[in-house]
Amino acid sequence: MSDQPFALLIAGPTASGKSALALGLAEHFGGTVINADSMQVYAGLRVLTAQPSAAEMACLPHRLYGVRDPAEAASVAWWREQALAEMEAARAAGRLPILCGGTGLYFRSLTEGLTEIPPIPPEAREEARGLLAAEGPAALHARLAAADPASAARLRPSDSQRLARAWEVWRGTGRGMDFWHKEGGTGPARLGERPWRFAAIRLDPPRDALRDAIRLRWAAMLRAGAEAEVRALLARGLDPALPAMRAHGVPELGAVQRGAIGLEEAGRRACLAIGQYTKRQATWYRHHALAAPSLTHTIHARIAGLEQFSESEGAEIFSFVRSGVDGSETDD
């Protein structure tokens, strides 16, 4: 058995069933489920971001769900620090850390490390937010392409948060994000002197199964109080550029509350946006390895719970996780 600390990663697109799989495996292996989704960190958005229910969280330890005020943007660096602390706490308690979510950059920050960037002056950050608010993301992307084409090429013109970050880094350091990425950074996650070992389960269900799941989830969210969550969030008058204000369903239900569209149209728009997002997630996971091929198990189905698997399929999943827990997996 390896004396290196081990953690399991469960990744995949929105509505693929990651949480159900994580819950089942945590019950079987004595795990602590640690959130690795950039929207589920925010408080007050339990329904809209599909955070675990109160009953599920009472069943076994869940960490980093609903812990961040929506007024404060959560960075990858912040999440990595919090996740490492929770992983070490789980390890000390004799539990298996199971990191579950859909944010690929969060997983990558653990397995590959983070780029270290010098502190950004407040005026550079304010300029980036001001340009984004005044001109919109497409115009900011055009500005970035002229000033820092290498960094701009890595970003979508609609990715407002990362565009603002890239602009503030260029303005604040005189170097672009592409430069700092090439400089290196923190390196893979470690526990003391020992690097963590990771194995990953990646969910990659068929598109039609995801589309159906997204529609069903949206209807369930409305029944569970999604409109009230959005009403409370909008009442705070937060900056619309904040990540929580752009969570799926917030813009659409906000438009309903302003009387701009009806609830049916909001659902159509939200489900379309979520579906497009899941395509980008799936593409990202296909092009970025979370672990070595021999340490990644891919499931081409949507998960409703471990009970849906046949005896042989369940045994295969348990064997895969057990090999990681025991340190018997091999890297091809």
Coordinates of all heavy atoms in Angstrom, one line a residue, residues 5-11 25 87 96-100 107 110-111 196-202 289-298 317-331:
P5 N -1.0 10.3 0.3 CA -2.4 10.6 0.5 C -3.2 10.4 -0.9 O -2.6 10.7 -1.9 CB -2.5 12.0 0.9 CG -1.2 12.6 0.4 CD -0.2 11.5 0.4
F6 N -4.4 9.9 -0.8 CA -5.1 9.6 -2.0 C -6.5 10.4 -2.0 O -7.1 10.5 -1.0 CB -5.4 8.1 -2.2 CG -6.4 7.8 -3.3 CD1 -6.0 7.9 -4.6 CD2 -7.7 7.4 -3.0 CE1 -6.9 7.6 -5.6 CE2 -8.6 7.1 -4.0 CZ -8.2 7.2 -5.3
A7 N -6.9 10.9 -3.2 CA -8.2 11.6 -3.3 C -8.8 11.1 -4.6 O -8.1 10.9 -5.6 CB -8.0 13.1 -3.2
L8 N -10.1 11.0 -4.6 CA -10.9 10.6 -5.8 C -11.6 11.9 -6.3 O -12.2 12.7 -5.6 CB -12.0 9.6 -5.4 CG -12.9 9.2 -6.5 CD1 -12.2 8.4 -7.6 CD2 -14.1 8.3 -5.9
L9 N -11.5 12.0 -7.7 CA -12.1 13.1 -8.4 C -13.3 12.6 -9.1 O -13.2 11.6 -9.8 CB -11.1 13.8 -9.4 CG -9.7 14.1 -8.9 CD1 -8.9 14.7 -10.0 CD2 -9.8 15.1 -7.6
I10 N -14.5 13.2 -9.0 CA -15.7 12.9 -9.8 C -16.1 14.1 -10.6 O -16.5 15.1 -10.0 CB -16.8 12.4 -8.9 CG1 -16.4 11.2 -8.1 CG2 -18.0 12.1 -9.7 CD1 -17.5 10.6 -7.2
A11 N -15.9 14.0 -11.9 CA -16.1 15.2 -12.8 C -17.0 14.8 -13.9 O -17.3 13.7 -14.2 CB -14.7 15.6 -13.4
L25 N -20.6 6.5 -3.4 CA -19.2 6.1 -3.1 C -18.7 6.5 -1.7 O -18.0 5.8 -1.0 CB -18.3 6.6 -4.2 CG -18.5 6.0 -5.6 CD1 -17.6 6.7 -6.6 CD2 -18.2 4.5 -5.5
M87 N -9.3 18.4 2.3 CA -8.7 17.1 2.0 C -7.9 16.6 3.1 O -7.9 15.4 3.5 CB -7.9 17.2 0.7 CG -8.7 17.4 -0.6 SD -7.8 18.1 -2.0 CE -6.6 16.8 -2.2
L96 N -12.1 9.3 3.1 CA -11.6 9.4 1.7 C -12.1 10.8 1.2 O -13.3 11.0 1.1 CB -12.1 8.3 0.8 CG -11.9 8.4 -0.7 CD1 -10.5 8.4 -1.0 CD2 -12.7 7.3 -1.4
P97 N -11.2 11.6 0.8 CA -11.6 12.9 0.1 C -12.2 12.6 -1.3 O -11.5 12.0 -2.1 CB -10.3 13.7 0.0 CG -9.3 13.1 1.0 CD -9.7 11.6 1.0
I98 N -13.4 13.0 -1.5 CA -14.0 12.8 -2.8 C -14.4 14.2 -3.3 O -15.3 14.8 -2.8 CB -15.3 11.9 -2.7 CG1 -14.9 10.5 -2.2 CG2 -15.9 11.8 -4.1 CD1 -16.1 9.6 -2.0
L99 N -13.7 14.7 -4.3 CA -13.9 16.0 -4.9 C -14.9 15.9 -6.1 O -14.6 15.2 -7.0 CB -12.6 16.7 -5.3 CG -11.7 16.9 -4.1 CD1 -10.5 16.0 -4.0 CD2 -11.3 18.4 -4.0
C100 N -16.0 16.6 -6.0 CA -17.1 16.4 -6.9 C -17.5 17.7 -7.5 O -17.8 18.6 -6.7 CB -18.2 15.7 -6.2 SG -19.7 15.5 -7.2
F107 N -10.2 21.3 -10.6 CA -9.5 20.0 -10.6 C -8.1 20.2 -11.1 O -7.1 19.7 -10.5 CB -10.2 19.0 -11.5 CG -11.5 18.5 -11.0 CD1 -12.7 18.7 -11.7 CD2 -11.6 17.8 -9.8 CE1 -13.9 18.3 -11.2 CE2 -12.8 17.4 -9.3 CZ -14.0 17.6 -10.0
L110 N -5.5 21.4 -8.6 CA -5.0 20.4 -7.7 C -4.0 19.4 -8.3 O -2.9 19.1 -7.7 CB -6.1 19.5 -7.1 CG -7.1 20.2 -6.2 CD1 -8.2 19.2 -5.8 CD2 -6.4 20.7 -4.9
T111 N -4.3 19.0 -9.5 CA -3.4 18.0 -10.1 C -2.2 18.5 -10.8 O -1.2 17.9 -11.0 CB -4.2 17.1 -11.2 OG1 -4.7 18.0 -12.2 CG2 -5.4 16.4 -10.5
W196 N -0.1 14.4 -3.4 CA -1.4 13.6 -3.4 C -1.4 12.7 -4.7 O -1.0 13.1 -5.7 CB -2.6 14.5 -3.4 CG -2.9 15.1 -2.1 CD1 -2.4 16.3 -1.6 CD2 -3.9 14.7 -1.2 NE1 -2.9 16.5 -0.3 CE2 -3.8 15.5 -0.1 CE3 -4.7 13.6 -1.1 CZ2 -4.7 15.4 1.1 CZ3 -5.6 13.4 0.0 CH2 -5.5 14.3 1.1
R197 N -2.0 11.5 -4.5 CA -2.3 10.7 -5.6 C -3.8 10.9 -6.0 O -4.7 11.0 -5.1 CB -2.1 9.2 -5.3 CG -0.7 8.8 -5.0 CD -0.6 7.3 -4.7 NE -1.3 7.0 -3.5 CZ -2.4 6.2 -3.4 NH1 -2.9 5.7 -4.6 NH2 -3.0 6.0 -2.3
F198 N -4.1 11.0 -7.3 CA -5.5 11.2 -7.7 C -5.9 10.1 -8.7 O -5.1 9.7 -9.5 CB -5.6 12.6 -8.4 CG -5.4 13.8 -7.6 CD1 -4.1 14.4 -7.6 CD2 -6.3 14.2 -6.7 CE1 -3.9 15.5 -6.8 CE2 -6.1 15.3 -5.9 CZ -4.9 16.0 -5.9
A199 N -7.1 9.7 -8.6 CA -7.8 8.9 -9.6 C -9.1 9.6 -9.9 O -9.7 10.3 -9.0 CB -8.1 7.5 -9.1
A200 N -9.6 9.5 -11.1 CA -10.8 10.2 -11.5 C -11.8 9.4 -12.1 O -11.5 8.4 -12.9 CB -10.4 11.3 -12.5
I201 N -13.1 9.7 -11.8 CA -14.2 9.1 -12.5 C -14.8 10.2 -13.3 O -15.2 11.2 -12.7 CB -15.3 8.5 -11.6 CG1 -14.6 7.3 -10.8 CG2 -16.5 8.0 -12.3 CD1 -15.6 6.7 -9.8
R202 N -14.9 10.1 -14.6 CA -15.4 11.1 -15.5 C -16.8 10.6 -16.1 O -16.8 9.6 -16.7 CB -14.5 11.4 -16.6 CG -14.9 12.6 -17.5 CD -13.8 13.0 -18.4 NE -13.6 12.1 -19.5 CZ -14.2 12.1 -20.7 NH1 -15.2 13.0 -20.9 NH2 -14.0 11.2 -21.6
A289 N -6.7 15.9 -19.3 CA -6.6 14.7 -18.5 C -6.7 15.1 -17.0 O -5.9 15.9 -16.5 CB -5.4 13.9 -18.7
L290 N -7.6 14.6 -16.2 CA -7.6 14.8 -14.8 C -6.7 13.9 -14.1 O -6.2 14.2 -13.0 CB -9.1 14.5 -14.3 CG -10.1 15.5 -14.8 CD1 -11.5 15.1 -14.3 CD2 -9.8 16.9 -14.4
A291 N -6.4 12.8 -14.6 CA -5.4 11.8 -14.1 C -4.9 11.0 -15.3 O -5.4 11.2 -16.4 CB -6.1 10.9 -13.1
A292 N -3.9 10.2 -15.1 CA -3.3 9.4 -16.2 C -4.5 8.5 -16.7 O -5.4 8.2 -16.0 CB -2.2 8.5 -15.7
P293 N -4.4 8.1 -18.0 CA -5.5 7.2 -18.5 C -5.8 6.0 -17.7 O -6.9 5.7 -17.5 CB -4.9 6.9 -19.9 CG -4.0 8.0 -20.3 CD -3.4 8.5 -19.0
S294 N -4.7 5.4 -17.1 CA -5.0 4.2 -16.3 C -5.6 4.5 -15.0 O -6.1 3.6 -14.3 CB -3.7 3.5 -16.1 OG -2.8 4.3 -15.4
L295 N -5.7 5.8 -14.6 CA -6.2 6.2 -13.4 C -7.5 7.0 -13.6 O -8.0 7.7 -12.7 CB -5.3 7.1 -12.6 CG -3.9 6.5 -12.3 CD1 -3.0 7.4 -11.5 CD2 -4.0 5.1 -11.7
T296 N -8.1 6.9 -14.8 CA -9.4 7.5 -15.1 C -10.4 6.5 -15.5 O -10.1 5.7 -16.4 CB -9.2 8.6 -16.1 OG1 -8.3 9.6 -15.7 CG2 -10.6 9.2 -16.5
H297 N -11.6 6.5 -14.9 CA -12.7 5.5 -15.3 C -13.8 6.4 -15.8 O -14.3 7.3 -15.2 CB -13.1 4.8 -14.0 CG -14.2 3.8 -14.4 ND1 -13.9 2.5 -14.8 CD2 -15.6 3.9 -14.3 CE1 -15.1 1.8 -15.0 NE2 -16.1 2.6 -14.7
T298 N -14.2 6.2 -17.1 CA -15.2 7.0 -17.7 C -16.5 6.2 -17.8 O -16.6 5.0 -18.1 CB -14.8 7.3 -19.2 OG1 -13.5 8.0 -19.1 CG2 -15.8 8.2 -19.8
I317 N -16.7 -0.4 -10.7 CA -16.5 0.9 -10.1 C -15.8 0.8 -8.7 O -14.9 1.5 -8.4 CB -17.8 1.7 -10.0 CG1 -18.3 2.0 -11.4 CG2 -17.7 3.0 -9.2 CD1 -19.8 2.5 -11.4
F318 N -16.3 -0.1 -7.9 CA -15.8 -0.3 -6.6 C -14.3 -0.7 -6.6 O -13.5 -0.3 -5.8 CB -16.6 -1.3 -5.8 CG -17.9 -0.7 -5.3 CD1 -19.1 -1.5 -5.5 CD2 -18.1 0.5 -4.8 CE1 -20.3 -1.0 -5.1 CE2 -19.3 1.0 -4.4 CZ -20.4 0.2 -4.5
S319 N -14.0 -1.6 -7.6 CA -12.6 -2.1 -7.7 C -11.7 -1.0 -8.1 O -10.6 -0.9 -7.6 CB -12.6 -3.2 -8.8 OG -11.3 -3.6 -9.0
F320 N -12.2 -0.1 -9.0 CA -11.4 1.0 -9.5 C -11.0 2.0 -8.3 O -9.9 2.4 -8.1 CB -12.1 1.8 -10.5 CG -11.5 3.1 -11.0 CD1 -10.4 3.1 -11.8 CD2 -11.9 4.3 -10.5 CE1 -9.7 4.3 -12.2 CE2 -11.3 5.5 -10.8 CZ -10.2 5.5 -11.7
V321 N -12.1 2.3 -7.5 CA -11.8 3.2 -6.4 C -11.0 2.5 -5.3 O -10.1 3.1 -4.7 CB -13.2 3.7 -5.7 CG1 -12.9 4.6 -4.5 CG2 -14.0 4.4 -6.8
R322 N -11.2 1.2 -5.0 CA -10.5 0.5 -4.0 C -9.0 0.4 -4.4 O -8.1 0.5 -3.5 CB -11.0 -0.9 -3.9 CG -10.3 -1.9 -3.0 CD -10.2 -1.3 -1.6 NE -11.5 -1.2 -0.9 CZ -11.6 -0.6 0.2 NH1 -10.6 0.0 0.8 NH2 -12.9 -0.5 0.7
S323 N -8.7 0.3 -5.7 CA -7.3 0.2 -6.1 C -6.6 1.5 -5.8 O -5.4 1.5 -5.4 CB -7.2 -0.1 -7.6 OG -7.7 1.0 -8.4
G324 N -7.3 2.7 -5.9 CA -6.7 3.9 -5.5 C -6.5 4.1 -4.0 O -5.5 4.5 -3.5
V325 N -7.6 3.7 -3.3 CA -7.5 3.7 -1.8 C -6.3 2.9 -1.3 O -5.6 3.3 -0.4 CB -8.8 3.3 -1.2 CG1 -8.7 3.1 0.3 CG2 -10.0 4.2 -1.6
D326 N -6.2 1.7 -1.9 CA -5.1 0.8 -1.4 C -3.7 1.1 -2.0 O -2.7 0.5 -1.6 CB -5.5 -0.6 -1.8 CG -6.7 -1.1 -1.0 OD1 -7.0 -0.5 0.0 OD2 -7.3 -2.1 -1.4
G327 N -3.7 2.0 -3.0 CA -2.4 2.4 -3.6 C -1.9 1.3 -4.5 O -0.7 1.2 -4.8
S328 N -2.8 0.5 -5.1 CA -2.4 -0.6 -5.9 C -2.6 -0.2 -7.4 O -2.3 -1.1 -8.3 CB -3.2 -1.8 -5.6 OG -4.6 -1.6 -5.8
E329 N -3.1 1.0 -7.7 CA -3.2 1.3 -9.1 C -1.9 1.6 -9.8 O -0.9 1.9 -9.1 CB -4.1 2.6 -9.3 CG -3.4 3.9 -9.1 CD -3.4 4.3 -7.6 OE1 -3.6 3.5 -6.8 OE2 -3.1 5.5 -7.4
T330 N -1.8 1.4 -11.0 CA -0.5 1.6 -11.8 C -0.7 2.7 -12.8 O -1.8 2.8 -13.4 CB 0.0 0.3 -12.4 OG1 -1.0 -0.1 -13.3 CG2 0.3 -0.7 -11.4
D331 N 0.3 3.4 -13.1 CA 0.3 4.5 -14.1 C 0.9 4.0 -15.3 O 2.1 3.7 -15.4 CB 1.0 5.7 -13.6 CG 0.9 6.9 -14.5 OD1 0.5 6.7 -15.6 OD2 1.2 8.0 -14.1

